[in-house]
Amino acid sequence: MTKTNAGRFFEDYAVGDVITHAVPRTISGGERALYHALYPARGALYSSDEFARACGLPGAPLDDLVTFHTVFGKTVPDVSLNAVANLGYAEGRWLRPVYAGDTLVSQSEVIGVKQNSNGKSGVVWVRTTGRNQRGEEVLSYVRWVMVRKRGEGAAPETVIPDLAGAVAARDLVVPEGLTFANYDFTLAGEPHRLGDYTVGEVIDHVDGVTVEEAEHMLATRLWQNTAKVHFDATNRADGKRLIYGGHVISLARALSFNGLANAQMIVALNGGAHANPCFAGDTVRAWSEVLDLAETDAPGVGAIRLRLVATKGPAGVLRGEDGKYHADVLLDLDYWALMPV
Amino acid sequence: MTKTNAGRFFEDYAVGDVITHAVPRTISGGERALYHALYPARGALYSSDEFARACGLPGAPLDDLVTFHTVFGKTVPDVSLNAVANLGYAEGRWLRPVYAGDTLVSQSEVIGVKQNSNGKSGVVWVRTTGRNQRGEEVLSYVRWVMVRKRGEGAAPETVIPDLAGAVAARDLVVPEGLTFANYDFTLAGEPHRLGDYTVGEVIDHVDGVTVEEAEHMLATRLWQNTAKVHFDATNRADGKRLIYGGHVISLARALSFNGLANAQMIVALNGGAHANPCFAGDTVRAWSEVLDLAETDAPGVGAIRLRLVATKGPAGVLRGEDGKYHADVLLDLDYWALMPV
Amino acid sequence: MTKTNAGRFFEDYAVGDVITHAVPRTISGGERALYHALYPARGALYSSDEFARACGLPGAPLDDLVTFHTVFGKTVPDVSLNAVANLGYAEGRWLRPVYAGDTLVSQSEVIGVKQNSNGKSGVVWVRTTGRNQRGEEVLSYVRWVMVRKRGEGAAPETVIPDLAGAVAARDLVVPEGLTFANYDFTLAGEPHRLGDYTVGEVIDHVDGVTVEEAEHMLATRLWQNTAKVHFDATNRADGKRLIYGGHVISLARALSFNGLANAQMIVALNGGAHANPCFAGDTVRAWSEVLDLAETDAPGVGAIRLRLVATKGPAGVLRGEDGKYHADVLLDLDYWALMPV
C-alpha cells in the first residue's frame, strides 16, 4: 500500500488509453536564461525579442527544445519510469511557439503495444501532445519505449502504429505571422540561406563541450524529468549518472549554430536514436547532413531537413562496417527547421 | 580599522536588540526557474500559474522554501558568521505567499542569550521576520545558534525564551483566498488526500539525488548566504565544502513529492535539526512520518504535520541505540503543510 | 568552402573597419537571478527594485558586469577566436543602465593594428560599443588582443591609438536621476561612505570562493561567449578548461562587497590585466586599493577609483621583485564606481 509512484509496467498500457500527465508548468524568462546558461545556444530568434519581432512574432519564443523537454519531462513518471530503452521518435510537429508566461500540460495516447518474444517486456507506442493554457496544441510527437512486464500474463494483441518515415514538408506548421522577408543575416550570425545548402552536404560544427554532472542534472531537473538514472550515483558502480538524452539533443542543436545559424525554428522531428549513452566527462561535438530542402507559404521562409549527429568522435562518422552506430556516436536526429530562402 | 564585516560575537547580542539585515532582494521568475533546476521540485501549486489560480491564488507563488532561504540568508552576516553550530528552529510560520516581483527584507530580534559553562561561547536565540515591499510579514521563525565569545567578559543574565514545541493547528495561516474545493488531483500528480494519511504512517520517498559542489554553491549564493564554509575549499583538509543545511531541506522536501504530492504549502516549521553534515558526493534520500492531521477554515484545505528526514541511508532509520541521530541522517525537520481534505 | 566561422586573422582587420556583431540578446529577470547564483553578488542597488527606486532609478538595473559580459561575448567570434592573448582594456565607460527587457547589440571599430616583429601575429585594437533596443549606447570600451596571421603578407601600416591612462572623473556618466541623498546604509550593508576611504588604502575582502568547472561554463555560455578554450577539455592535457577572464572579474567584484558594499555602480573601466590563468579548483580571493576619490554633480553621489585584484594568495601582494605579476595573481583591474559621499 505504498503512496509513491512505482510507474507503469507493460500490462498497464492498452491501445486507446489516454493519460493526462501531472504537474502543469509555467515557463518564464528564467527558463530562457537557464537555457542559455546550459547550452551554447545562439539562435537570434530565441535570443532577442527585437529580432523575433522583425520576423513577425510578438517576441522571442522559448527555444523549441524547451517545449520538447517540458512536454517530454511530464510523461516520464507515466511512460518511462520502468523503461528499459527509449527506442525512437516519429511524427513530431511543433504547432505553435511557446512564450514566457505560457503554461504547458502534456497528454499521451497509447497507440501501439507489442510484447517481446521473451515475455518479460514489451514495446509501447504513445502519441504525446503538449498544450498551452488556452488548450492550443504546441507540440505533438510519437515515441516508443521498451517497458518491463510486471507479471507473466498473456500478451495483448499486437498493434503497431503506421508511422511516417518523415513529416512531409507540406505538413510543417509555420508559426502564424512568421516572415523572413526582412531577415537580418548580419545579426543572425551567418550569410547562408536555404539556397546555399545542398542535399547531401555535411557540416562539421567544429566546437566541442565537455559535460559536467552538475550541468546535466540542473537541466534535467529543470524539465521536471524525474528518471532516477539521471540523478542517483549509487545506480552504477562507477558513480556516473546516465545523461538525459534530451540534454545531448540540446547540446548538439546549440553547437550546430556554427554552420547552421539560420536554421532558426525546429518544426518537425522525423526520427531519432540515442545511439550510445552519454556521461559526464564526455566532450560532445556535432555534425549535420542536409537531407532535404523545401518551400513554405510564408514570406521568405523555407525549410531544411537535417540529420543532426552528436558524437565524441570526428564529423561524418556514423556507423561501423557492421551497420551499427559507431561507439562515439551519441545521437542521430532527423528534423526539419525553418530557414530564410 | 578594517572595513570588512568580522561578524558578531556572543557579547554583541543583548536581549531586546533588533537587527535590520542588509540587502533587500527582489525575487523574479528567474529565481523560480532556478529553484526547479536546483531541486526536483514538482508541487503543482508552485509550478503552474493556472493551477494556482484554480486554487484561488493570483498566480503561482515562489516555493515557500525560497522565502525561507532568502529571509534566512540575510541573517547570516549578522547572526551566524561566527556561529559554531546552528542548534534549532521553532515557531516558524509562513504568513503570506511571495510572488515574482516581491522584494524581501529581514529583521531579527534577540530573544535569548545563555553563556556556556566553558566561558568561551554562548547560545543566542533570535526571532527573524521577513517582510515584503508593503511591510507585510511573510515569514517569522526562531532559531538559535552557538556563537563564539570575543573576549573573557562576564556572562550576561541568562534568558531562555519559552518556545512552543509545535505551532498549534489553530495558529496556522492559510493564504487569503486559498481553496482546494476544485483541486485537480490528476494534474497535481497523486490521488492521496488528507484522509488517506494516518498518524504514524511512514512514507519512503524512494528517489535519491547525488549532490555536486557546483549545485549547492549556486543555490547558497542565490539566497545571498555568505557563510564561507560553503564556498572555500581551503577551509578543510579534504577540500570539501560544508553544504548549507537549507540545501538539504529543499532537496528532501522536493524528493517528498513522491508520496506527498498534495502536501502543497508549507505553513509552519515546528522544529528541525541538521543531524549530520552533508558533503558533495552524498546521495540524499528522504522519508516522512505523519505526525498530525488537522482541519482549517478554508474550503477543502486541511493540514498535515510531517517529520521530514533526509538521509544517506534507508527510510525509517532515525536514531541509534544511544539515542543519537544515526550517522546517515542529515536532517530531521518537523513542519505543517496544507493538503486537500 | 566551409560554412563554419573560422574567425578573423590579423590580415582581416583594417583601421576604420566597423564590425556589427551577431546575435542580439534580450536580458530578463532570469539573467539577474543567474548572476546571483553564479557570483556572491550583494550590491543592494542590483538586488532590490525598492532600493534602486529610493536611489532615483526606475528599478534595479542588471549588474554592470552583465552588460559588460553580454556586450563582450558578442565580440568573441569576430575579435578573439584566433586571439593568442587578451592584452588590455582602456577607456571603458558605462553610459546607461540596462534593465530587464532590454535587448543588447554590439559593434566594434578597429582603431589600431601593429604587426609583431616575428611576422606571425599582430596586435589589434577595437573600440566596442553596446547599444540597447532604442539604439542608446550602454557601454563603450577599448580592448586589444594579439591575433595570429593567416599568411605571410606584408605588414600593414602601424596605427597605435592614443588611449587615456584612466577615464577622467569629469567624464564619468552618472545615470539619469540617480541620487544617494536618502541612501540607506543599513540596507546597503555597510556604513562606509566616500569620505571614509583614503587614497592608498588597501582592503582585504577576506572571503574566498573555490571555482568549479560547471559554474564557469554556465556563466560563460550565459554571455554567449563561444571561445572553445572555456568548454572543451580535450584542448589541454590535464583536461582543464581555461576560465573566461570575465568570470574572475565578476567573482572578485562580488567578493569586494565585504568592505566596499557602497561602491555601487561601475561607471568606468580604466584598465585591466588577466595576470595569470584561472582554473577550476582555484580558490579566488580579492583585495582592493583605493586609487582616487572624486565628486559628481548628482545628489550625494561621489566616485571612487579602485584597483581590484583577484588572487589565489594573500591580500596586498601584486608583483614580484622582477616587476612581474606574482603567480597567485589572476586579475588586476582599475575601475571607477559610484559611492555615497
Side-chain angles (χ1 to χ4, degrees), chain C residues 318-326:
Chain C
L318 188 64
R319 294 177 186 274
E321 291 184 5
D322 57 3
K324 292 183 182 169
Y325 282 113
H326 189 283

Side-chain angles (χ1 to χ4, degrees), chain C:
Chain C
M1 282 293 291
T2 178
K3 286 198 167 65
T4 53
N5 176 20
R8 288 164 184 249
F9 292 86
F10 181 67
E11 297 92 323
D12 301 324
Y13 299 94
V15 172
D17 282 357
V18 173
I19 307 168
T20 296
H21 305 296
V23 194
R25 172 70 171 274
T26 304
I27 305 286
S28 81
E31 278 78 4
R32 189 198 289 181
L34 267 164
Y35 199 82
H36 280 104
L38 291 164
Y39 308 109
R42 289 190 285 151
L45 199 65
Y46 301 90
S47 179
S48 165
D49 284 343
E50 303 296 316
F51 192 95
R53 282 182 202 122
C55 293
L57 301 180
L62 272 292
D63 195 287
D64 306 301
L65 292 173
V66 171
T67 306
F68 178 76
H69 297 318
T70 304
V71 170
F72 181 101
K74 313 216 154 310
T75 71
V76 168
D78 298 313
V79 174
S80 41
L81 214 59
N82 296 309
V84 183
N86 197 19
L87 297 172
Y89 305 101
E91 298 187 359
R93 293 198 306 156
W94 278 257
L95 303 165
R96 198 174 289 267
V98 170
Y99 296 96
D102 281 357
T103 299
L104 301 187
V105 290
S106 293
Q107 206 170 51
S108 295
E109 181 182 353
V110 180
I111 60 167
V113 292
K114 177 178 181 296
Q115 182 165 316
N116 288 331
S117 53
N118 65 12
K120 295 184 175 167
S121 58
V123 179
V124 177
W125 284 259
V126 296
R127 185 180 303 274
T128 297
T129 305
R131 289 185 177 80
N132 65 20
Q133 68 279 11
R134 292 180 298 275
E136 299 161 340
E137 296 187 2
V138 298
L139 172 66
S140 172
Y141 66 94
V142 173
R143 80 162 163 143
W144 54 105
V145 293
M146 193 182 299
V147 185
R148 278 191 287 272
K149 279 191 78 173
R150 180 188 293 109
E152 307 206 339
E157 188 185 354
T158 293
V159 177
I160 298 179
D162 186 25
L163 298 172
V167 176
R170 67 179 173 278
D171 293 334
L172 301 176
V173 176
V174 179
E176 198 181 323
L178 188 75
T179 169
F180 288 158
N182 303 307
Y183 192 88
D184 188 327
F185 288 86
T186 300
L187 287 181
E190 290 182 353
H192 324 302
R193 54 179 72 231
L194 195 72
D196 297 325
Y197 292 87
T198 52
V199 173
E201 181 178 355
V202 168
I203 302 155
D204 178 356
H205 301 301
V206 180
D207 304 311
V209 172
T210 309
V211 184
E212 299 290 315
E213 298 280 13
E215 295 170 329
H216 76 83
M217 291 197 294
L218 287 169
T220 308
R221 270 192 295 256
L222 186 60
W223 322 123
Q224 299 178 310
N225 178 334
T226 60
K228 60 189 72 176
V229 291
H230 306 318
F231 300 105
D232 185 344
T234 65
N235 274 325
R236 289 170 52 98
D238 64 6
K240 290 191 172 178
R241 280 137 271 178
L242 180 68
I243 294 179
Y244 162 49
H247 191 64
V248 178
I249 295 177
S250 276
L251 264 180
R253 162 73 173 160
L255 288 168
S256 79
F257 178 91
N258 200 347
L260 283 167
N262 298 318
Q264 290 283 3
M265 304 191 90
I266 302 182
V267 283
L269 176 61
N270 300 309
H274 298 289
N276 284 291
C278 181
F279 295 102
D282 288 351
T283 299
V284 178
R285 302 173 192 287
W287 59 273
S288 296
E289 180 185 352
V290 180
L291 300 179
D292 201 358
L293 302 166
E295 297 183 342
T296 81
D297 291 336
V301 179
I304 185 168
R305 184 179 164 196
L306 294 156
R307 172 197 295 275
L308 170 63
V309 178
T311 181
K312 297 183 282 182
V317 176
L318 188 64
R319 294 177 186 274
E321 291 184 5
D322 57 3
K324 292 183 182 169
Y325 282 113
H326 189 283
D328 282 341
V329 173
L330 304 169
L331 172 76
D332 180 15
L333 201 79
D334 179 340
Y335 73 104
W336 280 102
L338 300 181
M339 181 181 268
V341 294

